[in-house]
Short mmCIF file of all heavy atoms in Angstrom, two decimals:
data_model
loop_
_atom_site.label_atom_id
_atom_site.label_comp_id
_atom_site.label_asym_id
_atom_site.label_seq_id
_atom_site.Cartn_x
_atom_site.Cartn_y
_atom_site.Cartn_z
N ASP I 1085 95.65 91.16 105.78
CA ASP I 1085 96.00 89.79 106.17
C ASP I 1085 97.51 89.58 106.00
O ASP I 1085 98.29 90.09 106.79
CB ASP I 1085 95.19 88.79 105.34
CG ASP I 1085 95.15 87.39 105.97
OD1 ASP I 1085 95.84 87.18 106.97
OD2 ASP I 1085 94.43 86.53 105.45
N LYS I 1086 97.95 88.86 105.00
CA LYS I 1086 99.36 88.49 104.87
C LYS I 1086 100.03 89.27 103.74
O LYS I 1086 99.46 89.44 102.67
CB LYS I 1086 99.47 86.98 104.61
CG LYS I 1086 98.94 86.13 105.76
CD LYS I 1086 98.97 84.66 105.45
CE LYS I 1086 97.80 84.22 104.58
NZ LYS I 1086 96.52 84.28 105.27
N GLY I 1087 101.26 89.72 104.00
CA GLY I 1087 102.04 90.33 102.94
C GLY I 1087 102.39 89.31 101.87
O GLY I 1087 102.08 89.49 100.69
N PHE I 1088 103.03 88.22 102.27
CA PHE I 1088 103.33 87.10 101.39
C PHE I 1088 102.75 85.83 102.03
O PHE I 1088 103.10 85.50 103.15
CB PHE I 1088 104.83 86.92 101.18
CG PHE I 1088 105.48 88.04 100.41
CD1 PHE I 1088 106.20 89.03 101.07
CD2 PHE I 1088 105.36 88.12 99.04
CE1 PHE I 1088 106.80 90.06 100.37
CE2 PHE I 1088 105.95 89.15 98.32
CZ PHE I 1088 106.67 90.12 98.99
N SER I 1089 101.89 85.16 101.29
CA SER I 1089 101.29 83.91 101.75
C SER I 1089 101.79 82.77 100.87
O SER I 1089 101.63 82.81 99.64
CB SER I 1089 99.76 83.99 101.69
OG SER I 1089 99.17 82.77 102.09
N ILE I 1090 102.39 81.75 101.48
CA ILE I 1090 103.05 80.69 100.73
C ILE I 1090 102.53 79.36 101.23
O ILE I 1090 102.74 78.99 102.39
CB ILE I 1090 104.58 80.77 100.92
CG1 ILE I 1090 105.08 82.15 100.44
CG2 ILE I 1090 105.28 79.66 100.17
CD1 ILE I 1090 106.43 82.53 100.99
N GLY I 1091 101.80 78.63 100.36
CA GLY I 1091 101.20 77.38 100.80
C GLY I 1091 100.78 76.51 99.63
O GLY I 1091 101.40 76.52 98.57
N ILE I 1092 99.69 75.76 99.84
CA ILE I 1092 99.19 74.85 98.81
C ILE I 1092 97.77 75.24 98.44
O ILE I 1092 97.08 75.94 99.18
CB ILE I 1092 99.23 73.38 99.28
CG1 ILE I 1092 98.33 73.18 100.52
CG2 ILE I 1092 100.66 72.95 99.58
CD1 ILE I 1092 98.26 71.73 101.00
N GLY I 1093 97.34 74.77 97.25
CA GLY I 1093 96.01 75.09 96.79
C GLY I 1093 94.93 74.27 97.47
O GLY I 1093 93.85 74.77 97.79
N ALA I 1094 95.21 72.99 97.70
CA ALA I 1094 94.25 72.09 98.32
C ALA I 1094 95.01 70.92 98.92
O ALA I 1094 96.18 70.67 98.60
CB ALA I 1094 93.23 71.61 97.29
N ALA I 1095 94.33 70.18 99.79
CA ALA I 1095 94.98 69.03 100.42
C ALA I 1095 95.50 68.06 99.37
O ALA I 1095 94.80 67.74 98.40
CB ALA I 1095 93.98 68.33 101.34
N GLY I 1096 96.75 67.64 99.54
CA GLY I 1096 97.33 66.69 98.61
C GLY I 1096 98.03 67.31 97.41
O GLY I 1096 98.67 66.61 96.63
N SER I 1097 97.90 68.61 97.23
CA SER I 1097 98.55 69.25 96.07
C SER I 1097 100.01 69.55 96.39
O SER I 1097 100.46 69.45 97.54
CB SER I 1097 97.81 70.53 95.69
OG SER I 1097 97.75 71.43 96.78
N GLN I 1098 100.77 69.91 95.37
CA GLN I 1098 102.19 70.14 95.54
C GLN I 1098 102.46 71.40 96.35
O GLN I 1098 101.67 72.33 96.37
CB GLN I 1098 102.88 70.23 94.18
CG GLN I 1098 102.90 68.91 93.43
CD GLN I 1098 103.66 69.02 92.11
OE1 GLN I 1098 103.06 69.22 91.06
NE2 GLN I 1098 104.97 68.90 92.17
N ILE I 1099 103.61 71.41 97.00
CA ILE I 1099 103.96 72.53 97.86
C ILE I 1099 104.49 73.70 97.02
O ILE I 1099 104.83 73.55 95.85
CB ILE I 1099 105.03 72.13 98.89
CG1 ILE I 1099 106.34 71.76 98.18
CG2 ILE I 1099 104.53 70.99 99.75
CD1 ILE I 1099 107.51 71.57 99.13
N SER I 1100 104.54 74.87 97.63
CA SER I 1100 105.17 76.04 97.02
C SER I 1100 106.62 76.13 97.48
O SER I 1100 106.94 75.81 98.63
CB SER I 1100 104.45 77.33 97.44
OG SER I 1100 103.20 77.46 96.81
N GLU I 1101 107.48 76.57 96.58
CA GLU I 1101 108.86 76.88 96.92
C GLU I 1101 109.15 78.27 96.38
O GLU I 1101 109.14 78.49 95.17
CB GLU I 1101 109.82 75.85 96.32
CG GLU I 1101 109.65 74.46 96.91
CD GLU I 1101 110.70 73.48 96.40
OE1 GLU I 1101 111.60 73.92 95.67
OE2 GLU I 1101 110.61 72.30 96.76
N VAL I 1102 109.38 79.22 97.28
CA VAL I 1102 109.44 80.63 96.91
C VAL I 1102 110.74 81.25 97.41
O VAL I 1102 111.19 80.97 98.53
CB VAL I 1102 108.23 81.39 97.49
CG1 VAL I 1102 108.34 82.88 97.25
CG2 VAL I 1102 106.93 80.84 96.89
N GLU I 1103 111.35 82.10 96.58
CA GLU I 1103 112.51 82.88 96.97
C GLU I 1103 112.10 84.33 97.17
O GLU I 1103 111.55 84.95 96.26
CB GLU I 1103 113.60 82.81 95.89
CG GLU I 1103 114.16 81.42 95.64
CD GLU I 1103 115.19 81.42 94.53
OE1 GLU I 1103 115.75 82.50 94.23
OE2 GLU I 1103 115.44 80.35 93.95
N LEU I 1104 112.36 84.86 98.36
CA LEU I 1104 112.07 86.26 98.66
C LEU I 1104 113.39 86.97 98.92
O LEU I 1104 114.11 86.63 99.86
CB LEU I 1104 111.17 86.39 99.88
CG LEU I 1104 109.77 85.78 99.79
CD1 LEU I 1104 109.73 84.42 100.46
CD2 LEU I 1104 108.74 86.70 100.41
N THR I 1105 113.70 87.96 98.08
CA THR I 1105 114.97 88.67 98.19
C THR I 1105 114.72 90.17 98.10
O THR I 1105 114.10 90.65 97.15
CB THR I 1105 115.94 88.26 97.07
OG1 THR I 1105 116.12 86.84 97.10
CG2 THR I 1105 117.28 88.95 97.23
N GLY I 1106 115.19 90.91 99.10
CA GLY I 1106 115.15 92.36 99.04
C GLY I 1106 113.77 92.97 99.07
O GLY I 1106 113.57 94.07 98.55
N ASN I 1107 112.80 92.30 99.68
CA ASN I 1107 111.44 92.84 99.77
C ASN I 1107 111.26 93.64 101.06
O ASN I 1107 111.85 93.32 102.10
CB ASN I 1107 110.43 91.70 99.72
CG ASN I 1107 110.53 90.89 98.44
OD1 ASN I 1107 110.11 91.33 97.39
ND2 ASN I 1107 111.11 89.69 98.54
N ILE I 1108 110.40 94.66 101.00
CA ILE I 1108 110.06 95.46 102.17
C ILE I 1108 108.59 95.26 102.47
O ILE I 1108 107.73 95.50 101.62
CB ILE I 1108 110.36 96.95 101.92
CG1 ILE I 1108 111.84 97.16 101.61
CG2 ILE I 1108 109.95 97.78 103.13
CD1 ILE I 1108 112.18 98.58 101.22
N ILE I 1109 108.29 94.79 103.68
CA ILE I 1109 106.92 94.48 104.08
C ILE I 1109 106.59 95.28 105.34
O ILE I 1109 107.32 95.19 106.34
CB ILE I 1109 106.74 92.98 104.35
CG1 ILE I 1109 107.23 92.14 103.17
CG2 ILE I 1109 105.30 92.65 104.66
CD1 ILE I 1109 108.53 91.41 103.44
N SER I 1110 105.52 96.05 105.32
CA SER I 1110 105.15 96.82 106.51
C SER I 1110 103.63 96.96 106.59
O SER I 1110 102.93 96.94 105.58
CB SER I 1110 105.80 98.21 106.47
OG SER I 1110 105.39 98.94 105.33
N GLY I 1111 103.14 97.08 107.82
CA GLY I 1111 101.73 97.33 108.03
C GLY I 1111 100.81 96.20 107.61
O GLY I 1111 99.72 96.44 107.09
N CYS I 1112 101.24 94.95 107.84
CA CYS I 1112 100.41 93.77 107.54
C CYS I 1112 100.07 93.06 108.85
O CYS I 1112 100.76 93.20 109.85
CB CYS I 1112 101.15 92.80 106.62
SG CYS I 1112 101.81 93.52 105.11
N TYR I 1113 99.00 92.26 108.81
CA TYR I 1113 98.75 91.42 109.98
C TYR I 1113 99.89 90.41 110.14
O TYR I 1113 100.49 90.29 111.21
CB TYR I 1113 97.40 90.70 109.86
CG TYR I 1113 97.14 89.79 111.04
CD1 TYR I 1113 96.81 90.33 112.28
CD2 TYR I 1113 97.27 88.41 110.93
CE1 TYR I 1113 96.61 89.51 113.38
CE2 TYR I 1113 97.07 87.58 112.02
CZ TYR I 1113 96.74 88.14 113.24
OH TYR I 1113 96.55 87.31 114.34
N THR I 1114 100.21 89.69 109.07
CA THR I 1114 101.37 88.81 109.04
C THR I 1114 102.26 89.21 107.87
O THR I 1114 101.79 89.30 106.74
CB THR I 1114 100.97 87.33 108.88
OG1 THR I 1114 100.09 86.96 109.96
CG2 THR I 1114 102.19 86.43 108.88
N GLY I 1115 103.54 89.45 108.14
CA GLY I 1115 104.44 89.85 107.07
C GLY I 1115 104.64 88.75 106.05
O GLY I 1115 104.36 88.91 104.86
N ILE I 1116 105.14 87.59 106.51
CA ILE I 1116 105.39 86.44 105.65
C ILE I 1116 104.82 85.21 106.33
O ILE I 1116 105.15 84.91 107.48
CB ILE I 1116 106.90 86.24 105.39
CG1 ILE I 1116 107.52 87.51 104.79
CG2 ILE I 1116 107.14 85.05 104.47
CD1 ILE I 1116 109.04 87.46 104.70
N ALA I 1117 103.95 84.48 105.63
CA ALA I 1117 103.34 83.26 106.16
C ALA I 1117 103.75 82.08 105.29
O ALA I 1117 103.61 82.13 104.07
CB ALA I 1117 101.83 83.38 106.21
N ILE I 1118 104.28 81.02 105.92
CA ILE I 1118 104.64 79.80 105.21
C ILE I 1118 103.90 78.65 105.88
O ILE I 1118 103.95 78.50 107.10
CB ILE I 1118 106.16 79.53 105.27
CG1 ILE I 1118 106.94 80.81 104.97
CG2 ILE I 1118 106.54 78.44 104.28
CD1 ILE I 1118 107.54 81.48 106.18
N LYS I 1119 103.23 77.84 105.07
CA LYS I 1119 102.37 76.82 105.67
C LYS I 1119 102.33 75.55 104.82
O LYS I 1119 102.75 75.55 103.67
CB LYS I 1119 100.96 77.36 105.86
CG LYS I 1119 100.36 78.04 104.62
CD LYS I 1119 99.08 78.79 104.96
CE LYS I 1119 98.44 79.43 103.74
NZ LYS I 1119 99.18 80.56 103.22
N ASP I 1120 101.83 74.48 105.41
CA ASP I 1120 101.51 73.24 104.70
C ASP I 1120 102.71 72.64 103.97
O ASP I 1120 102.64 72.26 102.79
CB ASP I 1120 100.35 73.48 103.72
CG ASP I 1120 99.08 73.90 104.44
OD1 ASP I 1120 98.96 73.61 105.64
OD2 ASP I 1120 98.23 74.55 103.82
N ASP I 1121 103.84 72.57 104.67
CA ASP I 1121 105.06 71.94 104.19
C ASP I 1121 105.74 72.71 103.06
O ASP I 1121 106.69 72.23 102.45
CB ASP I 1121 104.80 70.49 103.74
CG ASP I 1121 106.04 69.62 103.88
OD1 ASP I 1121 106.85 69.88 104.79
OD2 ASP I 1121 106.21 68.68 103.08
N SER I 1122 105.25 73.90 102.74
CA SER I 1122 105.90 74.72 101.72
C SER I 1122 107.17 75.34 102.28
O SER I 1122 107.42 75.33 103.49
CB SER I 1122 104.94 75.81 101.22
OG SER I 1122 103.88 75.24 100.49
N TYR I 1123 107.99 75.91 101.38
CA TYR I 1123 109.31 76.37 101.78
C TYR I 1123 109.57 77.77 101.23
O TYR I 1123 109.22 78.08 100.08
CB TYR I 1123 110.40 75.43 101.25
CG TYR I 1123 111.81 75.91 101.49
CD1 TYR I 1123 112.39 75.79 102.74
CD2 TYR I 1123 112.54 76.51 100.48
CE1 TYR I 1123 113.68 76.24 102.98
CE2 TYR I 1123 113.84 76.96 100.70
CZ TYR I 1123 114.39 76.83 101.96
OH TYR I 1123 115.68 77.28 102.18
N ALA I 1124 110.18 78.62 102.05
CA ALA I 1124 110.56 79.97 101.63
C ALA I 1124 112.01 80.23 101.98
O ALA I 1124 112.44 79.97 103.11
CB ALA I 1124 109.67 81.01 102.28
N GLU I 1125 112.75 80.74 101.01
CA GLU I 1125 114.11 81.20 101.25
C GLU I 1125 114.05 82.73 101.32
O GLU I 1125 113.81 83.40 100.32
CB GLU I 1125 115.03 80.75 100.11
CG GLU I 1125 116.48 81.08 100.32
CD GLU I 1125 117.35 80.49 99.22
OE1 GLU I 1125 117.39 79.25 99.10
OE2 GLU I 1125 117.97 81.28 98.47
N ILE I 1126 114.26 83.26 102.51
CA ILE I 1126 114.06 84.69 102.78
C ILE I 1126 115.42 85.34 102.98
O ILE I 1126 116.10 85.08 103.99
CB ILE I 1126 113.16 84.89 104.01
CG1 ILE I 1126 111.82 84.16 103.81
CG2 ILE I 1126 112.93 86.37 104.28
CD1 ILE I 1126 110.98 84.07 105.08
N THR I 1127 115.84 86.18 102.05
CA THR I 1127 117.16 86.78 102.08
C THR I 1127 117.05 88.29 101.94
O THR I 1127 116.44 88.80 101.00
CB THR I 1127 118.04 86.24 100.93
OG1 THR I 1127 118.09 84.81 101.00
CG2 THR I 1127 119.46 86.80 101.02
N GLY I 1128 117.65 89.02 102.88
CA GLY I 1128 117.72 90.47 102.76
C GLY I 1128 116.38 91.15 102.69
O GLY I 1128 116.20 92.07 101.89
#
C-alpha cells in the first residue's frame, strides 16, 4: 500500500504534521500519501 501514510485517526481528530528528510521509497503502491488536512514537509 503506502510507504508513508500521513493522516488522522478519526473524523474530527487532530491532523498529522510530519517531516520527511532523506528517505528512500521504492516499490510501493503509493510512495507518500497525505490526507485529511494533514501536512508533510518533504525534503531530499
Side-chain angles (χ1 to χ4, degrees):
D1085 198 354
K1086 297 176 280 291
F1088 293 101
S1089 178
I1090 301 160
I1092 61 177
S1097 57
Q1098 291 183 264
I1099 65 170
S1100 288
E1101 295 186 5
V1102 174
E1103 297 178 20
L1104 298 99
T1105 304
N1107 300 285
I1108 300 174
I1109 307 107
S1110 60
C1112 307
Y1113 178 73
T1114 302
I1116 304 172
I1118 315 103
K1119 49 191 182 289
D1120 298 337
D1121 208 31
S1122 292
Y1123 174 78
E1125 185 175 297
I1126 304 169
T1127 305

